[in-house]
Amino acid sequence: MKLLAILILVSFIAGCDTMRGVTRVAYYETVPDNECVMASARSIDGLTDIEHITESGGRALTFRGIEEANLVHRYWYTYKGIKNDFYFVESYNGKVEFRHGYGCLNCYPPQEIIDTIYPLVVQLENKLQEQCGVSGLATGVKEFCSGVECPGA
């Protein structure tokens, strides 16, 4: 019976998708102005094709029931030939999450791509903080790396 339980657990874990790469996350109170975000991104050399879309995100289950869907402000761009995105998630309680990085699902992204895009990620955070009033973004960000070497370490 123990062996069966172990096999089921291993099968479950092996069947899970794994995200690898670098991710930078910060939390704060307000979503920055869309035009300011676009202008800040456009001011970075090598960044092209910036596009903004708004999409519906997940819905939190609370003691009051199922809350309104999160609002995701996603910005797609190309940087030195690398297609990527960053986004702000506005939750039902007014909290905002910022995410930016580069990775892939069930694969290992090339370290060369991580090393190329990482300076842009940090530069954009600084520009959003300075130009768009996203206070504490550059200083409050937490970085997570999986399967790649963290360039900021």
Side-chain angles (χ1 to χ4, degrees):
M1 191 61 153
K2 274 186 176 179
L3 180 60
L4 179 61
I6 291 171
L7 287 173
I8 290 172
L9 180 63
V10 168
S11 296
F12 177 74
I13 292 171
C16 294
D17 291 329
T18 304
M19 184 69 173
R20 294 186 181 95
V22 60
T23 302
R24 293 173 59 90
V25 181
Y27 301 93
Y28 53 97
E29 299 298 322
T30 60
V31 174
D33 176 70
N34 177 52
E35 291 305 315
C36 187
V37 173
M38 298 285 282
S40 295
R42 283 187 189 111
S43 72
I44 298 174
D45 287 338
L47 189 144
T48 60
D49 305 324
I50 183 83
E51 298 174 23
H52 171 254
I53 61 169
T54 304
E55 43 189 68
S56 183
R59 298 174 64 136
L61 177 60
T62 67
F63 288 116
R64 295 182 305 179
I66 298 174
E67 300 292 345
E68 291 293 319
N70 292 341
L71 188 59
V72 180
H73 305 271
R74 188 176 306 273
Y75 296 85
W76 289 99
Y77 65 87
T78 303
Y79 180 71
K80 297 185 177 180
I82 303 166
K83 184 83 170 159
N84 200 24
D85 74 320
F86 62 93
Y87 56 91
F88 299 90
V89 178
E90 191 173 6
S91 70
Y92 74 95
N93 61 4
K95 301 293 182 188
V96 175
E97 175 184 59
F98 169 80
R99 284 190 175 262
H100 196 183
Y102 186 86
C104 62
L105 194 60
N106 294 330
C107 68
Y108 290 89
Q111 187 69 42
E112 179 182 299
I113 292 178
I114 299 294
D115 294 342
T116 299
I117 205 159
Y118 189 84
L120 162 82
V121 171
V122 174
Q123 185 180 8
L124 181 66
E125 290 166 6
N126 288 322
K127 284 191 176 281
L128 291 173
Q129 180 172 297
E130 295 165 9
Q131 297 173 3
C132 301
V134 183
S135 61
L137 177 59
T139 55
V141 73
K142 294 189 186 321
E143 183 171 88
F144 305 95
C145 295
S146 173
V148 297
E149 188 176 315
C150 271

